[in-house]
Each structure stands twice: as structure tokens, then as C-alpha cells.
Amino acid sequence: MLGDGVQTIDPIRSIVTLATGEVIRYRVLIGSDGVKSIVARTIFGSSFNPKTIGFGLEVEVPREALLNQSNTVEIDFGVAIWGYGWVFPKKDTFTIGVGGIHRFNPDLRERLTAYLELKGLRAENFKVKGQYILLATIGNDQAEQMSF
């Protein structure tokens, strides 16, 4: 089952059929299957709304570079428009990033650079990774009205 693709989802009968043909019943279905989500397409008709899709940039920072950083997860609102910054402690690194609604943050790389500078780090010393983030399911009427 681990790694098997999803073939279909039947939200009326609460079953998922895997690519292998195996059928799984569920009480709660959590769609953490990424930006091209079959869960979202099945339930909402599309995998994401381009007006509300988020984008995030992050770097992996070796622990040696942040000796005074705590092991507490940090979420910093206000780092991005309709978004946030984060520090996720891991065994050997800290994942530090910023993300927000894509259309409101065309300057996301600059925002990441500024956030890293707050931590005493220089962005050019790290490999930056980016990915789309499904922030929320917002109705089309709400998405049209979103602004900052």
C-alpha cells in the first residue's frame, strides 16, 4: 500500500481505489497529495485555485550555522503577504523558509533573503528550494475579493 498510487476516490461511498486495485474504506480522508491533488480534484473539481495557491521557498541550514537557535518550531506571520515564515528544527539541520499566496508575493526570494538575514544568515550560502503550497480551499467568490 505504501507508495501505491490512487486510481479513484468515491466520496459518496467513502472508498479509495488504489492503482493496484486494492480498495480502502475511510471515515476521514486527508488530502496531503500535493499541488496536483487527486483528492482536491475529486472533491472540489480542480486541484488548486490559481488565485489562492501558495508558493514557498526554503533552505536547509546546518545546525552549526545557528548555534543559538532553539529546537522550537517557529511560525512568523507578517514575513509574507497572506503567508508566513518558518523554522523547523530537524536532527542535523533547520529548515527555514517563507511562503504565501503566490500572486501577492512576486518578491518571495527577497522576502526569504530578509528573513534569513534576521537569523544572521546569507541566502547565497544555501541552496534554495521552492514548491507550491496548498494553503486553503477558498471559494471562487472569496478568492476574487482577496487583497492586501
Side-chain angles (χ1 to χ4, degrees), residues 69-87:
Q69 180 69 40
S70 76
N71 281 322
T72 303
V73 170
E74 293 180 22
I75 303 293
D76 296 306
F77 295 100
V79 175
I81 300 168
W82 280 80
Y84 54 93
W86 61 84
V87 178

Side-chain angles (χ1 to χ4, degrees), residues 124-139:
E124 60 267 13
N125 294 335
F126 305 99
K127 179 181 178 186
V128 177
K129 300 180 293 182
Q131 64 277 333
Y132 285 102
I133 302 170
L134 296 173
L135 295 174
T137 301
I138 299 173

